[in-house]
Amino acid sequence: MQPVKFIIGGVLILAAVGLGFYSFSVTRQTAEYFMTVDELIAEGQTVVGKNIRISGAVIGDTIEYDAQSLTLKFTVAHVTGDNDEIEAQGGLAEVLHTAVTDPTRNHIDVVYEGVMPDLLRDEAQAIMTGTLHVDGTFYAEELLLKCPTRYEEAVPGQVEQASR
Amino acid sequence: MIADFGYGILVVTFLLSLYSVGAAVLGALNKSTAIVESARRAMLLTWPLLTLSSLALIYLLVNNHYEVEFVYQVTSRSMPTYLKITALWGGQSGSLVFWSWLMSAFASLVTLRKWDRDREFLPWVIAVASLTMAFFLAMNVLFENPFARFWQTAAGVEAYTFKPANALPFAPQDGRGLNPLLRHIGMVIHPPMLYLGFVSFVIPYAFAIAALITGRTDDRWIRLTRRWTLWAWLFLALGLVLGGRWAYDVLGWGGYWGWDPVEVAAFIPWLIGTAFLHSVMIQEKRGMFKQWNMFLIVLTYCAVIYGTFVTRSGLLSSVHAFAQSAIGPMFAVYLSLISIGSVALIIWRWGDLSSDIELKSVFSRESLFLINNFLFLTLAFICYLGMNFPLVAEIITNQRVTVGPIWYERITAPLFAALMFLMGVAPLSAWGNSTLRTLGRAIWKPAVVSLGITTVLFFTYTRNAIALTGFFLVSFVILVSLYEYWRGARARQTSQGENFFVAFWKLTARNPRRYGGYFVHISMMLMAIGILGIELFQVETQGTVQVDQSINLGGYTVKYKDIAQFPGPDGRQVTRAVVSVYQGDQYISELHPRIDYYFESQQSMTIPGQRPTLKDDLYILLVAWEPVSTAGATFKIFVNPLINWLWIGSILFSAGILIAALIPDRSRAAVREKKSVQVAQTSAAD
């Protein structure tokens, strides 16, 4: 018998189990669900209040910005979240362009409080983290924009991050 | 011409390092000193060759040879020369060349040392180092040639190593230039530091493998590589801190660490390396944990390769990742072969690595070190899980889920707290036997004083429970470390009759690793103060103001005075605001937050106006502006309490490591080792 080994082992196992449960609950509270606009609309009320990350194509005409209250509103159109699919459809720029010009796509309204990012323009890809409200508006807490340009590979070049 | 030359050298070096691996293994198996010597010379030749190849690439970078794809990607005419040189590690293929260059330099340094009684290690160390180098060179030679040039074919312009049929050379007028965000002194030094750390860890790994293969599994390999481990740890830590400082100064979100996958990937080797650094001490002092240490160094090496892979493969999307490339699968294959091979070796030598000394007491130093190791490994595992969370979750739940900074913070916080507690307790515990009573007798004084400090903070500074726990642990660790210094110095004072300062200095010089270590612990606690401050007490606000209007935050008043726009160096347009800062009614300083717009890449960079003090850092960002007459300018303001302790602590820990690494170890264990060597030599002479 080696009691010391067993004591340490026992304590470590208990600690590991405790940490496991703790991590599990933290994960449930803080995990962000990746969704597309289509998925978000399909899930609807069931995901209200959860942390969600969605990506969509910014429709330029819908951008409204109130510099006094720093409130930014815009609408995004559905784009696929699958990288292979994006490649197959001719790259990000092409996919975003199609999304914005296709009126049959699902749209979702976004509200963001903060300074308007420079990269927010028509046919930019917006990657947002936030929550869906009961009225179907997405309240973004974090807004990340990608503009496919010839600087594509020069990440972090085309990525702009803003957060509240 | 130069490009072909550079590529040719890479190919030759690649073949040479393969030869070196083969010759080293063959020489070791046949016990032929001549063949091993040939392997050693081949290895020594790689450094001058890679230097030539790097110089060729630097020549192309500096002289605007935009027909070379890599040069086109990372430089442009408007960049100053020093940035063109450092653009060597500004892109994937160049940074791989740089990696190999560092690797060859370190491997050469190792093979040049006196090997006398460690001769049996030599071939295997060469083999492992050369294999690592061959792998990185293979990446360059086969997939990521930094010397590939543009060729105009019927299909369009593309970069090839060799001229395709019917192609014409193509040379763009100007390059795309290094991303403006990367044009910062922190970014110039940060990658080399990380790489130095990564590469230094290869050396202890090479020795560990040599020890496993030769069966010389005592602590010799650990003693030989002690310094390498310390340097590796220091460079990695500096690399991480510099990255943080860069983010703080340049990215303009008021933070220094965002748990970005690439940051995490560089953090993992540091965590495992820290566990290794502590655990080898137990093997040296007590001859225990041999299997464990082998396992740790293998894990560290894998984490290093994995870290390089993640930064370079585009496996995980992050702000750091370079473009997607073919090298991902190669890294995966190499990593699995290496880990399977290393673990097989450990299992093969399992019996030799076992120790007859058992853990005697739960409160002994070695037990506490063991717990420290588990904590570090758990942290590393959590980091690994976090960065791969989307992959794991998609496999298990078929849902795309990711985790962010809050997840990491919440899960790692209790583990870091436990580590801090251990940092306070472990120095007071004894090797071998230590009981709760002896430990309690040593602990109660610093614990009571820390409690006193915490109480004072409760009434004067904060009532936040997490902060108070943190500050309690910080003061506990600092007090224990100081107490250890003081106790040692007092003992010398009475026994040697030295005055306190002489005693203090001699104490450190006699046992540099121990007291250097305490120094590092204290510095880490200063960093913890900074982290607690910014994480728990950061306040921010934003607002649009007219000239002479002001914004208030955290006791500061920021008054907008003026804005001006003018052309700056290397092709940028600077928009610079002038704000006056008041504390209460008292004017304290003028700050200049600005936005630099780079025409060439159509990118802007936000440089904060900062006013650092020990109490806090006022951090002002100019986020948007209109010509003075109309709408005014929008500012985002942060007050980051205590953050500067983070940077102070990080400068100090370097000092601690320098003490531990540079002062020769004259502690009893080291002296004993030296004596046993002499005995061994005399008996061999008989």
Side-chain angles (χ1 to χ4, degrees):
Chain A
M1 278 295 281
Q2 301 150 344
V4 174
K5 267 193 187 171
F6 285 106
I7 296 171
I8 295 182
V11 169
L12 286 176
I13 290 170
L14 276 181
V17 171
L19 185 73
F21 274 108
Y22 173 69
S23 312
F24 187 70
S25 82
V26 170
T27 309
R28 285 190 59 163
Q29 288 165 28
T30 65
E32 288 167 7
Y33 294 82
F34 282 122
M35 285 186 171
T36 60
V37 173
D38 280 356
E39 283 164 352
L40 193 63
I41 285 171
E43 296 280 338
Q45 300 296 320
T46 60
V47 291
V48 167
K50 274 192 178 175
N51 298 310
I52 296 165
R53 177 178 283 220
I54 58 165
S55 125
V58 176
I59 301 170
D61 295 342
T62 62
I63 301 173
E64 278 174 46
Y65 181 56
D66 178 359
Q68 279 312 307
S69 64
L70 298 170
T71 310
L72 181 61
K73 291 179 182 169
F74 57 91
T75 302
V76 293
H78 171 81
V79 285
T80 172
D82 188 348
N83 279 331
D84 295 337
E85 218 170 295
I86 291 175
E87 284 309 310
Q89 290 171 22
L92 188 58
E94 192 55 42
V95 168
L96 290 170
H97 177 73
T98 327
V100 169
T101 44
D102 177 2
T104 63
R105 291 280 175 112
N106 273 323
H107 288 179
I108 200 154
D109 296 330
V110 179
V111 176
Y112 171 77
E113 271 175 45
V115 179
M116 177 157 150
D118 293 338
L119 287 176
L120 185 76
R121 54 182 116 146
D122 196 33
E123 295 180 18
Q125 185 187 21
I127 301 162
M128 296 154 289
T129 311
T131 47
L132 185 71
H133 274 217
V134 192
D135 62 1
T137 310
F138 190 80
Y139 282 78
E141 303 225 328
E142 196 185 277
L143 174 59
L144 202 87
L145 290 156
K146 273 191 180 183
C147 290
T149 63
R150 66 193 181 100
Y151 295 100
E152 185 124 352
E153 299 98 301
V155 188
Q158 83 290 17
V159 181
E160 184 176 18
Q161 185 169 6
S163 64
R164 256 202 311 205
Chain B
M1 184 54 214
I2 300 270
D4 291 333
F5 172 72
Y7 182 69
I9 293 183
L10 280 184
V11 175
V12 170
T13 321
F14 169 60
L15 297 174
L16 202 61
S17 47
L18 279 184
Y19 167 78
S20 175
V21 177
V25 173
L26 195 71
L29 294 179
N30 293 334
K31 303 210 176 347
S32 155
T33 338
I35 303 181
V36 173
E37 184 57 20
S38 163
R40 192 177 77 102
R41 290 192 182 163
M43 143 131 287
L44 285 176
L45 205 54
T46 57
W47 186 74
L49 283 174
L50 283 172
T51 307
L52 264 184
S53 185
S54 309
L55 283 176
L57 193 51
I58 289 172
Y59 174 87
L60 295 169
L61 287 166
V62 170
N63 291 294
N64 307 315
H65 282 268
Y66 299 116
E67 74 274 16
V68 177
E69 186 192 32
F70 180 72
V71 177
Y72 166 79
Q73 279 171 351
V74 297
T75 61
S76 64
R77 289 183 189 274
S78 64
M79 276 162 61
T81 308
Y82 84 95
L83 278 179
K84 284 183 181 168
I85 295 172
T86 57
L88 177 63
W89 51 80
Q92 177 163 274
S93 49
S95 63
L96 285 172
V97 173
F98 183 64
W99 213 104
S100 308
W101 180 77
L102 283 177
M103 183 72 238
S104 70
F106 282 15
S108 304
L109 265 180
V110 169
T111 50
L112 282 173
R113 71 181 291 280
K114 278 206 292 185
W115 282 81
D116 307 335
R117 69 200 178 89
D118 307 307
R119 203 141 270 284
E120 71 247 59
F121 284 162
L122 178 66
W124 301 108
V125 170
I126 293 176
V128 174
S130 295
L131 184 69
T132 309
M133 199 154 61
F135 171 70
F136 280 95
L137 286 168
M139 294 293 132
N140 274 134
V141 169
L142 302 175
F143 304 106
E144 293 288 334
N145 174 17
F147 295 101
R149 275 175 293 171
F150 285 121
W151 296 96
Q152 173 91 56
T153 57
V157 174
E158 253 197 276
Y160 295 100
T161 303
F162 302 106
K163 178 177 183 279
N166 303 323
L168 291 170
F170 177 82
Q173 271 309 298
D174 198 355
R176 278 204 314 229
L178 195 65
N179 190 308
L181 289 173
L182 301 177
R183 301 179 193 178
H184 176 271
I185 188 73
M187 249 313 122
V188 170
I189 315 172
H190 156 81
M193 282 293 165
L194 278 185
Y195 281 16
L196 279 170
F198 283 175
V199 172
S200 309
F201 266 129
V202 175
I203 307 297
Y205 171 75
F207 274 88
I209 293 299
L212 283 174
I213 294 177
T214 56
R216 215 177 134 187
T217 49
D218 60 354
D219 58 8
R220 184 64 189 158
W221 70 273
I222 290 177
R223 288 184 191 284
L224 287 172
T225 56
R226 187 172 85 78
R227 292 223 168 105
W228 286 103
T229 310
L230 287 174
W231 287 122
W233 189 91
L234 175 62
F235 287 132
L236 258 186
L238 280 178
L240 290 167
V241 168
L242 281 168
R245 181 74 211 195
W246 167 76
Y248 192 71
D249 286 347
V250 170
L251 291 187
W253 45 275
Y256 58 95
W257 179 262
W259 296 99
D260 173 284
V262 172
E263 289 169 346
V264 175
F267 191 42
I268 291 174
W270 184 86
L271 287 169
I272 305 174
T274 312
F276 176 71
L277 196 68
H278 285 92
S279 162
V280 289
M281 284 189 250
I282 311 173
Q283 185 170 344
E284 286 183 42
K285 298 262 193 220
R286 308 276 300 157
M288 300 161 79
F289 298 164
K290 289 183 190 168
Q291 298 139 336
W292 180 246
N293 287 332
M294 284 292 175
F295 173 68
L296 281 180
I297 191 64
V298 169
L299 209 57
T300 309
Y301 178 80
C302 290
V304 161
I305 303 291
Y306 182 73
T308 318
F309 157 61
V310 169
T311 26
R312 292 295 170 254
S313 69
L315 169 78
L316 304 154
S317 62
S318 92
V319 288
H320 291 69
F322 291 78
Q324 294 268 353
S325 79
I327 67 178
M330 290 295 293
F331 266 100
V333 169
Y334 181 71
L335 205 53
S336 10
L337 289 180
I338 283 293
S339 41
I340 292 169
S342 308
V343 170
L345 279 176
I346 296 180
I347 293 171
W348 180 46
R349 292 289 182 194
W350 194 257
D352 299 342
L353 289 170
S354 62
S355 150
D356 10 285
I357 306 172
E358 293 293 343
L359 283 177
K360 284 210 193 76
S361 151
V362 182
F363 301 100
S364 64
R365 180 89 58 100
E366 48 269 41
S367 300
L368 297 178
F369 268 44
L370 186 66
I371 299 173
N372 142 310
N373 272 221
F374 277 116
L375 286 172
F376 274 112
L377 285 192
T378 311
L379 280 168
F381 176 71
I382 287 170
C383 289
Y384 179 79
L385 189 68
M387 58 190 280
N388 290 291
F389 202 89
L391 296 175
V392 177
E394 192 154 9
I395 293 167
I396 298 175
T397 65
N398 203 20
Q399 251 180 328
R400 282 176 303 150
V401 183
T402 183
V403 289
I406 307 165
W407 183 86
Y408 285 102
E409 281 159 16
R410 287 229 213 138
I411 294 184
T412 58
L415 293 166
F416 280 119
L419 270 179
M420 284 162 78
F421 182 68
L422 275 184
M423 230 189 245
V425 176
L428 300 173
S429 69
W431 296 103
N433 261 321
S434 189
T435 62
L436 193 53
R437 177 177 292 183
T438 52
L439 197 57
R441 211 178 296 150
I443 276 181
W444 76 271
K445 279 184 229 163
V448 165
V449 179
S450 315
L451 214 55
I453 294 173
T454 315
T455 317
V456 172
L457 288 173
F458 177 79
F459 287 111
T460 57
Y461 192 74
T462 175
R463 306 228 160 155
N464 180 321
I466 298 172
L468 288 171
T469 314
F471 288 133
F472 169 77
L473 289 168
V474 165
S475 37
F476 182 55
V477 175
I478 292 180
L479 284 170
V480 167
S481 310
L482 291 177
Y483 176 63
E484 281 294 295
Y485 265 113
W486 182 81
R487 209 167 58 158
R490 273 305 286 268
R492 280 191 75 86
Q493 214 180 346
T494 33
S495 68
Q496 313 278 331
E498 296 159 350
N499 84 42
F500 188 77
F501 294 99
V502 174
F504 190 85
W505 169 247
K506 289 221 168 145
L507 179 76
T508 313
R510 275 199 76 82
N511 201 340
R513 179 153 38 154
R514 176 165 181 182
Y515 292 99
Y518 291 153
F519 202 92
V520 174
H521 283 182
I522 295 175
S523 319
M524 286 287 154
M525 289 305 101
L526 297 183
M527 294 177 75
I529 294 176
I531 293 169
L532 285 167
I534 192 172
E535 291 293 338
L536 298 170
F537 303 120
Q538 182 182 53
V539 285
E540 59 172 283
T541 188
Q542 58 188 14
T544 307
V545 282
Q546 312 279 341
V547 170
D548 282 337
Q549 281 184 334
S550 50
I551 305 176
N552 294 312
L553 182 70
Y556 290 103
T557 302
V558 177
K559 192 185 245 180
Y560 174 38
K561 302 297 285 182
D562 193 13
I563 200 157
Q565 204 169 45
F566 48 89
D570 55 300
R572 60 181 133 173
Q573 165 104 305
V574 178
T575 309
R576 179 167 162 277
V578 180
V579 298
S580 299
V581 179
Y582 298 84
Q583 203 158 24
D585 288 333
Q586 197 180 351
Y587 169 81
I588 44 176
S589 74
E590 196 176 84
L591 295 179
H592 307 110
R594 59 174 221 262
I595 297 174
D596 290 3
Y597 181 77
Y598 288 81
F599 289 107
E600 161 195 301
S601 54
Q602 302 165 30
Q603 258 186 56
S604 52
M605 183 156 124
T606 313
I607 315 283
Q610 277 166 265
R611 180 177 180 274
T613 62
L614 291 180
K615 187 172 151 280
D616 55 28
D617 199 10
L618 178 67
Y619 184 101
I620 304 173
L621 296 164
L622 171 65
V623 275
W625 66 284
E626 300 291 334
V628 180
S629 52
T630 58
T634 308
F635 294 95
K636 186 161 190 171
I637 304 174
F638 293 88
V639 174
N640 296 328
L642 304 172
I643 178 70
N644 288 302
W645 291 100
L646 177 65
W647 315 121
I648 294 170
S650 55
I651 295 167
L652 288 179
F653 76 61
S654 320
I657 290 291
L658 293 180
I659 292 173
L662 291 182
I663 303 177
D665 196 339
R666 276 183 302 231
S667 62
R668 255 169 294 153
V671 173
R672 204 184 319 124
E673 146 105 346
K674 210 165 214 165
K675 274 193 192 132
S676 71
V677 172
Q678 281 158 357
V679 172
Q681 279 168 347
T682 2
S683 59
D686 295 341

